[in-house]
Amino acid sequence: MSTTATATAAPETQPTRIRERSDVHRQIRLVVTFAIATALCIFFALAVDDPNVRYILGERVTKEFQPKDLNGSWVAWLAVAVSAVALVLAAVNRFPRGAAGVVLGVLVGLMFYLGFLMWVYADQGEGFTAAITNPIPGTIRIATPLVLGALAGVLCERAGVINIAIEGQFLAGAFFAAIAASLAFQPYTGLLGGILAGVGIAALLGVFALRYQVNQVVLGVVLVALASGLTSFLLGQIPGDPDVKQYFNEPPTLPQLRIPGLADIPVVGAALFDQTVLVYLMYLSVALVTFLLYQTRWGLRVRSVGEHPKAADTVGIKVNRTRWQAVLLGGVFAGLGGAYYTVGSTGAFDRDVSAGTGFIALAAVIMGRWHPLGATAAAVFFGFMLNLQTQISFVDKLPSELLGAVPYLATIIAVAGFVGRVRPPAADGEPYVKS
Amino acid sequence: MSDVSVQEPAKSPPPERKGEAREEGNRWAAYLPTIKTTVAAVVLALLIGALLIIFSTPRVIESLKYFFSYPWDFFKFAGIAVWDGYTALVKGSVGSWNSIERTLERAAPLICAGLGVSLAFRSGLFNIGAQGQMLAGAIAAGYVGFHFDFPPGLHLLLAAVAAIAAGAVWGGIAGWLKAATGAHEVISTIMLNYVARFLMIYLLGKELFQRPNSNDRLSPPPAESATFPQVFGVHTGVLLAFLAALGVWWLLERSTTGFEMRAVGANPSAAATAGMHVQRTYFLAMALAGALAGLAAVMQILGQQDSLTENVAGTVGFDAITVALLGRATTLGPVLGGLLFGALSSGGLAMQAAAGVPPELAQVLQALIVLFVAAPALVRGVLRVKAEGDGGTVLAKGWGG
């Protein structure tokens, strides 16, 4: 019989030769990725004829930040070398795991980015003045609302309430931030207005999800439609008369605050610490949410009602009260994120001003595996890609319309290639009814 | 797994023997509460809408200034404003043959795309990508529609098939990514929406798609031979939307594939244990959802003869999600939901034209109706009705895993 044959043969086969399928898949995935990266880097390096590239480390060319010259092909070949090393490591299945693997992966990504930039910016010929600028300031600016929205999503969903309404919270936050700031002629009251509006939508989410046990996916989609409709409706109610309008929808914007000392760090200092107060609040929020969720008793309770509400209830945790707290606290962050779109950037509210970024924040929550730091990393990655797209659209080497799709394609590749299957909190989306 | 809720149908009658007629009556009785709460939800939404109309009418606001000396004016003007608004809404949606035509034409793409979202829901997938799938379909339909020259019937058929295939490919990408790598469909469909949008913008900038003598990003309209013939002023593509609903019903309720889809949607682990191909079902469901969204694009391009622009899909792709949810992911649901939304959208225009009510109000009404329909507990609480059973459907409730 074949079963007895395999049974006797089993001890003879060497156990080391049997590899888990997931391990094989990981190797294949890494080899394919790095092979593509290396091939593209070689292409970039070979395609550079005139290696003279100008770069600046500040945000724009000023007297103190004069563009400097750089040998582009040298950088491009360095990118080839780094990705080739990673390819070899992956091919012999020695690519490190854990933190070292992440660091090496990010390094390869950065070198690929540099090689790509060299390819885009080299060969620009005489009289061309564009220079590579520091990507960090733009990235931080774009990522701020995404991070705040993603934090709101993480808080809600770790407590077991699905929040698709981040976009709705953004819109309400943006609108009421503009109103509050215009009424008071004071941008900081705008932040307060944004927070109140974000909490307001969160309260609606709470009432319908927790009190009336509405299907939370339905609820989220509806709240987005409601917020979009209501803000457009209310915007239409603001009279066009400039004398009246200035009290409603002409908010002053947040000034940039320079943190002395920290802002003088070369390269990253001015980028990270010469921003509006909203950006600093974002840094604080990431630390706060991570601390709350993982270091406090309250955070443990939040996570437990999101994973197993019945067990939590059994040990005396008030499930719905904890969920309410998490949802409302999430509303604070989402409302702040919404305020970015009016007082934090351009000022006046416009119809659907957040343009679907709430859904990108939602994607960041899932991509970051429902962890505040993961979601932040995903949001920053997305901000980086959006910033890259605006940077290289100045150079007409690639059609700008197709470049617009780059951040979204990059996200798909990142999710399909590296994040893969994710596991949501076990009780996410399930209303808890005490029996 | 626990990401799907099965709402139990009404409690079955006590186990005594009953006549056939009685059984039939009970089946209808089981649906009665659903119908009651839905109607109540619509009424509630209209009441809140009335408040919005009242406080957006300048004359009513003016009369508030002397409310305490002469309150009658306020109530009179408020009544007139609400009456004008809602009669315009009814007239603009079903009041005349003209408005019925418009309602049907607006409902057709919503029904198709809503069916697609609904089909994915039943398979446990949350398809936010109807918008992108519609754009992909529109690109294909438009290209075949204006670029080639075929005899009338064949041209229409080819253009429609191209659109459906393009939508299926776009949806299938998300399904394949989920099956092959586990990439979450919510992320990939959101991202593919943007990619489709930029692809559309890019193509419209090309000579191939550019309308001659135009500086806008606008394609030529589809050729006459590739459009649906008009019957009584309605393009015959609308029929196709209802046929599609019938097809989806057959697929989900009567075919083996549909059974697998529902099983995977209800419990993927159990379905896998029973020997069903979960990954293949995910791919198939997303591809079919995309095909239906492509059909929605057919309605827009070959039915209403829209030219390609970057906004050709409007908000249909997102409204489709609400339509599907309003229909509780049944098959008849999206049809009724699509008709209701079509009526609201065509009536909303009339409301703006006739009564000066802002067009956003229709959007607010749509959202409120869905909100109240989704919250039967709230409606019952307001109406002080006791809880009874709801019609049972299976609806994806969580993120899946």
Side-chain angles (χ1 to χ4, degrees):
Chain A
M1 297 293 281
S2 61
T3 42
T4 49
T6 45
T8 48
E12 289 164 26
T13 53
Q14 291 179 342
T16 46
R17 285 182 57 193
I18 302 166
R19 289 174 58 194
E20 271 189 47
R21 275 180 72 190
S22 63
D23 190 47
V24 179
H25 284 176
R26 174 178 178 268
Q27 191 185 0
I28 294 173
R29 193 182 300 157
L30 287 173
V31 168
V32 169
T33 316
F34 291 133
I36 295 173
T38 312
L40 280 172
C41 280
I42 291 175
F43 167 73
F44 295 149
L46 287 177
V48 172
D49 290 331
D50 171 16
N52 216 15
V53 175
R54 300 176 75 72
Y55 74 99
I56 42 172
L57 288 175
E59 246 193 290
R60 55 187 75 84
V61 180
T62 54
K63 276 229 172 78
E64 0 166 17
F65 294 114
Q66 285 294 336
K68 305 179 186 71
D69 281 332
L70 181 75
N71 190 329
S73 78
W74 187 82
V75 177
W77 282 112
L78 189 66
V80 173
V82 171
S83 45
V85 167
L87 176 63
V88 170
L89 280 178
V92 297
N93 204 20
R94 287 284 180 274
F95 195 80
R97 287 166 185 277
V102 172
V103 169
L104 192 54
V106 170
L107 183 69
V108 174
L110 276 179
M111 287 315 293
F112 179 79
Y113 162 74
L114 280 177
F116 173 69
L117 270 190
M118 292 307 135
W119 174 68
V120 170
Y121 277 88
D123 310 332
Q124 287 298 331
E126 290 301 309
F128 180 74
T129 50
I132 301 169
T133 52
N134 191 348
I136 302 172
T139 303
I140 295 294
R141 220 171 299 129
I142 298 172
T144 299
L146 293 176
V147 170
L148 286 166
L151 288 177
V154 167
L155 263 178
C156 287
E157 304 213 356
R158 282 317 279 260
V161 181
I162 287 183
N163 187 0
I164 299 185
I166 300 171
E167 172 79 358
Q169 292 175 313
F170 276 180
L171 283 172
F175 182 77
F176 286 101
I179 297 277
S182 308
L183 280 175
F185 291 108
Q186 176 53 263
Y188 294 101
T189 53
L191 295 183
L192 203 64
I195 290 175
L196 286 178
V199 173
I201 300 280
L204 277 180
L205 183 72
V207 167
F208 283 98
L210 301 174
R211 170 87 177 76
Y212 292 112
Q213 284 130 31
V214 174
N215 181 314
Q216 289 161 14
V217 173
V218 182
L219 182 60
V221 174
V222 168
L223 285 180
V224 173
L226 190 68
S228 159
L230 269 182
T231 49
S232 313
F233 176 78
L234 291 173
L235 183 68
Q237 297 306 305
I238 295 175
D241 183 3
D243 284 343
V244 189
K245 202 180 161 198
Q246 62 171 334
Y247 294 107
F248 290 107
N249 197 15
E250 275 174 23
T253 54
L254 293 167
Q256 293 205 339
L257 299 175
R258 191 180 169 86
I259 298 185
L262 285 174
D264 298 326
I265 305 169
V267 185
V268 292
L272 296 179
F273 300 106
D274 189 9
Q275 300 272 13
T276 63
V277 68
L278 202 57
V279 175
Y280 304 133
L281 281 174
M282 182 267 281
Y283 301 152
L284 283 180
S285 306
V286 174
L288 181 70
V289 172
T290 315
F291 175 76
L292 276 179
L293 274 180
Y294 292 96
Q295 304 295 329
T296 65
R297 193 180 299 180
W298 182 77
L300 185 61
R301 287 180 179 168
V302 167
R303 286 181 290 141
S304 69
V305 299
E307 291 292 338
H308 202 315
K310 196 163 191 177
D313 193 17
T314 313
V315 296
I317 298 170
K318 300 260 186 295
V319 175
N320 278 339
R321 186 190 292 173
T322 313
R323 287 185 168 175
W324 260 110
Q325 290 160 353
V327 169
L328 292 180
L329 184 62
V332 172
F333 297 120
L336 273 179
Y340 169 84
Y341 291 101
T342 48
V343 292
S345 56
T346 50
F349 181 85
D350 200 3
R351 210 190 147 137
D352 285 332
V353 71
S354 55
T357 41
F359 290 105
I360 294 185
L362 175 69
V365 172
I366 300 175
M367 204 170 148
R369 302 184 180 197
W370 288 270
H371 190 290
L373 293 180
T376 305
V380 170
F381 167 79
F382 197 83
F384 181 77
M385 281 300 169
L386 267 180
N387 183 59
L388 170 70
Q389 173 228 322
T390 45
Q391 264 188 358
I392 54 184
S393 61
F394 290 114
V395 184
D396 50 0
K397 195 151 184 167
L398 296 166
S400 63
E401 299 92 347
L402 284 187
L403 278 179
V406 163
Y408 309 99
L409 279 175
T411 309
I412 293 179
I413 293 169
V415 170
F418 300 102
V419 180
R421 213 166 298 280
V422 289
R423 198 189 63 84
D428 208 1
E430 271 182 45
Y432 181 69
V433 189
K434 210 166 181 169
S435 51
Chain B
M1 303 205 89
S2 51
D3 53 347
V4 158
S5 75
V6 182
Q7 288 174 303
E8 286 296 323
K11 283 261 182 316
S12 46
E16 303 127 41
R17 290 262 167 214
K18 289 217 165 78
E20 283 291 307
R22 185 69 189 277
E23 293 265 315
E24 192 67 16
N26 275 336
R27 248 183 73 193
W28 283 107
Y31 283 105
L32 196 61
T34 318
I35 297 168
K36 257 197 276 183
T37 45
T38 307
V39 171
V42 175
V43 171
L44 267 183
L46 287 177
L47 280 179
I48 296 183
L51 283 181
L52 286 176
I53 293 180
I54 288 171
F55 289 105
S56 66
T57 311
R59 200 164 61 158
V60 179
I61 304 288
E62 302 253 311
S63 70
L64 269 181
K65 284 178 190 157
Y66 52 89
F67 181 76
F68 288 105
S69 51
Y70 194 61
W72 173 242
D73 254 12
F74 170 75
F75 292 113
K76 190 176 79 182
F77 290 146
I80 291 173
V82 172
W83 175 256
D84 281 355
Y86 281 151
T87 45
L89 179 72
V90 173
K91 269 188 199 151
S93 52
V94 291
S96 66
W97 182 241
N98 237 339
S99 45
I100 292 178
E101 276 165 21
R102 205 169 47 223
T103 297
L104 281 176
E105 284 190 351
R106 280 173 184 248
L110 282 169
I111 292 173
C112 296
L115 282 170
V117 177
S118 183
L119 183 82
F121 260 128
R122 295 294 289 271
S123 317
L125 295 167
F126 191 39
N127 173 21
I128 310 191
Q131 191 80 9
Q133 292 148 17
M134 272 186 75
L135 283 176
I139 290 172
Y143 182 69
V144 177
F146 61 70
H147 199 263
F148 294 100
D149 203 12
F150 292 116
L154 182 67
H155 197 175
L156 174 63
L157 185 70
L158 285 176
V161 167
I164 292 169
V169 167
W170 213 253
I173 293 174
W176 175 76
L177 283 175
K178 168 131 186 149
T181 69
H184 204 286
E185 78 277 3
V186 169
I187 306 181
S188 48
T189 50
I190 290 175
M191 299 302 155
L192 283 170
N193 281 347
Y194 286 97
V195 175
R197 185 180 165 84
F198 283 106
L199 185 67
M200 175 71 101
I201 296 176
Y202 172 70
L203 288 175
L204 286 174
K206 293 270 149 196
E207 217 169 293
L208 202 58
F209 277 79
Q210 180 74 44
R211 178 181 287 196
N213 311 321
S214 164
N215 291 326
D216 300 327
R217 289 186 188 279
L218 185 71
S219 81
E224 198 64 39
S225 56
T227 50
F228 283 104
Q230 306 258 335
V231 178
F232 304 121
V234 187
H235 68 80
T236 40
V238 174
L239 276 179
L240 218 55
F242 293 104
L243 283 179
L246 205 64
V248 170
W249 173 81
W250 181 84
L251 177 78
L252 278 177
E253 311 290 339
R254 290 289 179 272
S255 74
T256 319
T257 319
F259 180 73
E260 282 196 15
M261 284 179 176
R262 285 185 291 142
V264 169
N267 190 334
S269 310
T273 311
M276 296 175 186
H277 301 278
V278 175
Q279 312 300 346
R280 198 183 63 190
T281 307
Y282 281 151
F283 170 72
L284 199 64
M286 280 308 290
L288 280 174
L292 284 162
L295 189 64
V298 168
M299 301 294 148
Q300 300 269 65
I301 305 288
L302 308 178
Q304 297 181 31
Q305 311 187 11
D306 290 348
S307 306
L308 296 186
T309 61
E310 57 183 290
N311 295 322
V312 68
T315 57
V316 173
F318 290 107
D319 289 343
I321 304 171
T322 345
V323 165
L325 296 171
L326 181 64
R328 298 192 181 185
T330 56
T331 318
L332 184 63
V335 177
L336 296 179
L339 285 173
L340 178 66
F341 272 40
L344 280 174
S345 131
S346 118
L349 277 185
M351 238 176 11
Q352 184 193 12
V357 176
E360 293 88 8
L361 193 76
Q363 195 188 349
V364 176
L365 280 180
Q366 287 173 353
L368 286 173
I369 290 174
V370 180
L371 189 60
F372 291 138
V373 167
L378 172 77
V379 175
R380 282 197 295 263
V382 171
L383 300 181
R384 318 243 167 230
V385 187
K386 255 191 245 151
E388 289 170 78
D390 278 318
T393 46
V394 180
L395 187 62
K397 198 162 109 185
W399 291 122

